[in-house]
Amino acid sequence: MNKRALITGVTGQDGSYLAELLYSKGYEVHGLRRRSSTFGTERIEHLIFGEEPKLQLHYGDLSDGNGLMRLIRELEPDEVYNLAAQSHVRVSFDQPTYTADTTAVGTLRLLEAIRDVQDDTGKQIRFYQASSSEMFGKVVETPQKETTPFYPRSPYGVAKVYSHWITINYRESYDLHASCGILFNHESPRRGETFVTRKITRGATRIKLGLQDKLFLGNLDAKRDWGFAGDYVEAMWRMLQQDKPDDYVVATNELYSVRDFCEKTFSRLDLDYRKYVEIDPRFYRPAEVELLLGDATKALTQLHWKPQTSFDQLVDMMCENDLAMAQNELLLTSGNAPSSKRSAA
Ligand code: NAP
Ligand code: G4F
């Protein structure tokens, strides 16, 4: 019989790639979506429409423990991937309580639902928690690996540390097959437009076509280990196929600054970023994470996972997607648009 999986955060960047991956592996794929005043399903429309939908959606919210309990009881999934979160670091300074409720306590609600259903039915439900390199924050060693102590620098980072440890605690206390992937930054053409890489590729391609003049950014000196989201969801799946649950760093072990990302993107479009990028202090954070660089040796040796996409390929695919979007926008403004839909690439 096909395995059944439930993905929270299925409307987000990673959720959409993971839903595709699990479907391609023969899973019956279910996703949790929150109610909102708009559809919010741009990234998964190709999976939910058509004669044979590849993904079944259920309304729910990490703030609603009863709803989660009911859904887990009804579905009895083999695997649950908890990707839902208020995932924006800067926003977490403005909405710390909301971030704690969703990104931290939401995980506990989900674990409680799984524990209850597993206790009642005897069915083993494997659990994946989306932990984050943001937990390393003001790093105490470089590169960061599974044993590196955490020093979170944002309400988001603190909330993720709670979720990480409560997942380990449930694994140790209740014998749950629960694993945490400590994923370093990963991007794609489906990345939210307020994260820095996508903000840069969207801004630069719009500048190229004359749709905007300037791009306003914050700290250009921050350094990150950026990978491709499509590669990283494969690591999530591999964690849940292991006999024993464990925690793994997933990263490329390559370091670039925000400035490097600007330089690479603008020069690919034959532009000089220094003419267009301006600093706006509103994008600074009250406490910054200056550098994140991961050591994914454990994932390499135990999961046989390694990134397939280079930094240059990542920038290329994001630029290509966003150039097509900007061209569409241009046609729309001239009243000649072939399609008003954004690419789900
Ligand atoms: P994303 O694009 O921001 O997606 C977040 C998802 O969570 C969306 O589907 C969102 O739904 C959903 N969500 C937010 N609040 C919710 C709530 N209260 N109840 C139910 N669903 C809720 O994030 P992502 O980049 O795909 O990342 C996936 C996960 O990995 C997140 O937990 C993130 O914190 C973590 N992570 C990401 C990275 C990275 O570099 N991308 C690195 C490490 C860890 P809506 O569509 O309705 O907003
Ligand atoms: O793209 P970012 O917003 O990503 P950040 O803060 O590293 O968080 C992302 O990665 C985490 C993994 O480490 C995830 F857990 C989290 O969910 C999220 O996906 O910012 C990256 C860097 C920061 O140092 C920021 O200060 O870029 C700097 N930056 C400079 N100008 C900017 C901007 N970031 C944003 N979002 N917008 C700017 O204008």
Side-chain angles (χ1 to χ4, degrees):
M1 222 173 58
N2 289 359
K3 279 192 193 167
R4 186 177 301 140
L6 172 66
I7 304 171
T8 74
V10 76
T11 54
Q13 171 188 253
D14 292 6
S16 66
Y17 284 111
L18 182 64
E20 283 170 7
L21 178 81
L22 296 181
Y23 181 79
S24 75
K25 291 186 182 295
Y27 280 69
E28 180 185 310
V29 191
H30 296 257
L32 187 81
R33 74 181 291 199
R34 339 184 244 178
R35 195 268 155 187
S36 79
S37 62
T38 56
F39 286 118
T41 50
E42 298 89 353
R43 295 180 177 106
I44 51 172
E45 270 169 20
H46 58 298
L47 300 173
I48 56 180
F49 295 125
E51 279 185 9
E52 264 183 54
K54 298 175 174 145
L55 165 67
Q56 297 172 54
L57 291 179
H58 307 266
Y59 279 108
D61 198 298
L62 285 193
S63 62
D64 176 9
N66 290 339
L68 294 174
M69 186 80 76
R70 257 198 314 277
L71 184 61
I72 300 284
R73 204 171 280 288
E74 178 192 317
L75 290 179
E76 286 194 19
D78 300 283
E79 297 172 8
V80 174
Y81 294 84
N82 183 30
L83 310 186
Q86 190 302 94
S87 73
H88 203 284
V89 173
R90 177 66 190 84
V91 170
S92 78
F93 287 98
D94 299 328
Q95 297 193 294
T97 313
Y98 173 72
T99 301
D101 189 54
T102 298
T103 307
V105 185
T107 306
L108 175 62
R109 293 187 185 103
L110 195 53
L111 283 165
E112 274 288 274
I114 290 170
R115 179 185 155 211
D116 260 36
V117 174
Q118 191 161 297
D119 274 358
D120 287 355
T121 64
K123 162 134 192 155
Q124 199 197 44
I125 302 172
R126 296 188 174 196
F127 180 77
Y128 172 85
Q129 170 56 23
S131 288
S132 166
S133 52
E134 185 69 16
M135 302 187 304
F136 297 120
K138 191 173 176 185
V139 297
V140 301
E141 67 175 345
T142 296
Q144 296 87 51
K145 48 186 186 282
E146 291 78 6
T147 50
T148 303
F150 299 138
Y151 190 151
R153 292 270 280 172
S154 61
Y156 168 81
V158 174
K160 282 288 182 186
V161 170
Y162 176 85
S163 278
H164 184 82
W165 280 110
I166 199 69
T167 301
I168 293 171
N169 180 259
Y170 270 51
R171 172 165 87 210
E172 294 174 353
S173 307
Y174 308 116
D175 203 23
L176 286 192
H177 192 294
S179 297
C180 301
I182 308 174
L183 270 52
F184 282 62
N185 297 51
H186 46 280
E187 320 294 313
S188 74
R190 300 182 195 173
R191 185 59 144 150
E193 292 186 21
T194 60
F195 296 96
V196 79
T197 57
R198 189 76 199 288
K199 188 171 165 184
I200 295 168
T201 57
R202 276 289 279 148
T205 49
R206 293 186 87 246
I207 287 170
K208 177 74 183 172
L209 297 194
L211 287 160
Q212 74 184 62
D213 302 326
K214 295 279 178 199
L215 175 62
F216 293 95
L217 296 172
N219 179 11
L220 300 188
D221 296 319
K223 296 187 178 65
R224 290 291 184 274
D225 176 332
W226 279 297
F228 171 51
D231 292 343
Y232 284 32
V233 296
E234 171 78 26
M236 298 176 186
W237 175 76
R238 289 190 187 203
M239 285 177 216
L240 295 206
Q241 311 317 307
Q242 303 303 300
D243 289 339
K244 287 199 174 131
D246 206 343
D247 310 315
Y248 301 87
V249 159
V250 176
T252 68
N253 195 229
E254 282 185 25
L255 195 62
Y256 293 93
S257 66
V258 174
R259 191 185 305 282
D260 295 333
F261 201 100
C262 287
E263 210 278 326
K264 180 72 72 184
T265 303
F266 278 82
S267 62
R268 193 192 171 282
L269 299 164
D270 298 319
L271 299 172
D272 179 350
Y273 84 92
R274 289 168 300 187
K275 288 190 187 152
Y276 304 99
V277 172
E278 286 190 9
I279 302 302
D280 184 338
R282 280 181 309 164
F283 297 114
Y284 289 148
R285 291 155 187 203
E288 175 63 294
V289 171
E290 296 294 347
L291 177 154
L292 293 173
L293 177 66
D295 174 353
T297 305
K298 183 174 171 186
L300 188 72
T301 53
Q302 293 186 23
L303 302 177
H304 308 293
W305 175 89
K306 66 173 185 208
Q308 304 293 324
T309 311
S310 71
F311 181 72
D312 282 10
Q313 286 171 322
L314 177 64
V315 175
D316 278 356
M317 79 168 89
M318 293 177 72
C319 281
E320 204 177 302
N321 179 80
D322 288 350
L323 204 49
M325 270 180 79
Q327 273 153 356
N328 235 5
E329 256 183 271
L330 203 58
L331 287 169
L332 258 179
T333 51
S334 66
N336 261 332
S339 156
S340 60
K341 259 194 193 159
R342 286 183 174 179
S343 163

